[in-house]
Amino acid sequence: MADRTVLEDEDVDIGGKADRAVVRDALGVGVAVGLSGFAFGVTSAGSGLTLLQTCALSLLVFTGASQFALVGALAAGGAPFTAAAGALFLGVRNAFYGLRLSQLLALPRAVRPLAAQWVIDETAAVALAQPTRRAARLGFVVTGLTLYLLWNLTTLLGALGAEAIGDTDAWGLDAAGPAVFLALLAPMLKTGTERAVAGLAVLLGLGLLPVLPAGVPVLLAALAAPGGGGGGRPAPGRGGTRGTSW
């Protein structure tokens, strides 16, 4: 008999207590990451982008690593095309999250274009950690809504406060983007192969930084992926999604 998974389309009532646990975890992720939008707003304004351009990035792009990569490359004197290419490359990962989440959430077609805007690291992490489709949907929505609202609000506040803060480099806020990205990445590095790939990418990026234009090293750091041996995480476990590979 075939194994039965928790991703079947049956309605599973996980109960109010379990609902509250999912909401609590989702709010924790949304609030913790959403506050870093302030650092993005300050950094973006410091790199020369206008208030409208800064807010538009958070409203329309809404993927922190790509946004920080873009303004970081511009602040370092990189060409707009190169900066945009680096941001686009980092954003491609969300498409792979979308492939997995489309099966997990099984949302109606009418809402999929709207939900796609919220397919990012944090919503994917919360949704994939849930044992049922109902819980995954709840975690995805609460995380996405909380993070989207808070990220955009703090982006606006950061951009408005950039003039009062003055030189962002003096405050060390130019390092906020990489710090946030590393904080998000570190918990995902579970296996030795993943750590090796990450380490190789760091070496490539730092080694190429002095000799290549701003924004290019982050693109070439992707060469660490095939260089890491192509290993991956174990296949999903029986009867659930907790072993799902990202």
Side-chain angles (χ1 to χ4, degrees), residues 65-66 68-70 72-73 82-90 181 201-202 204-209 212-224:
S66 295
F68 274 115
L70 176 64
T82 303
L88 178 63
F89 179 81
L90 287 175
F181 183 69
V202 170
L204 284 173
L206 292 178
L208 297 173
L209 190 61
L212 293 176
V216 176
V218 71
L219 295 175
L220 295 182
L223 296 175

Side-chain angles (χ1 to χ4, degrees), residues 32-104:
V33 179
L35 292 175
S36 62
F38 182 84
F40 170 73
V42 172
T43 305
S44 179
S47 69
L49 271 67
T50 66
L51 175 64
L52 180 60
Q53 290 171 329
T54 297
C55 291
L57 277 174
S58 284
L59 285 168
L60 302 176
V61 178
F62 187 54
T63 175
S66 295
Q67 292 177 231
F68 274 115
L70 176 64
V71 299
L74 292 176
F81 178 80
T82 303
L88 178 63
F89 179 81
L90 287 175
V92 166
R93 73 192 187 283
N94 294 334
F96 294 99
Y97 294 159
L99 293 175
R100 182 66 186 93
L101 290 176
S102 66
Q103 299 175 356
L104 174 64

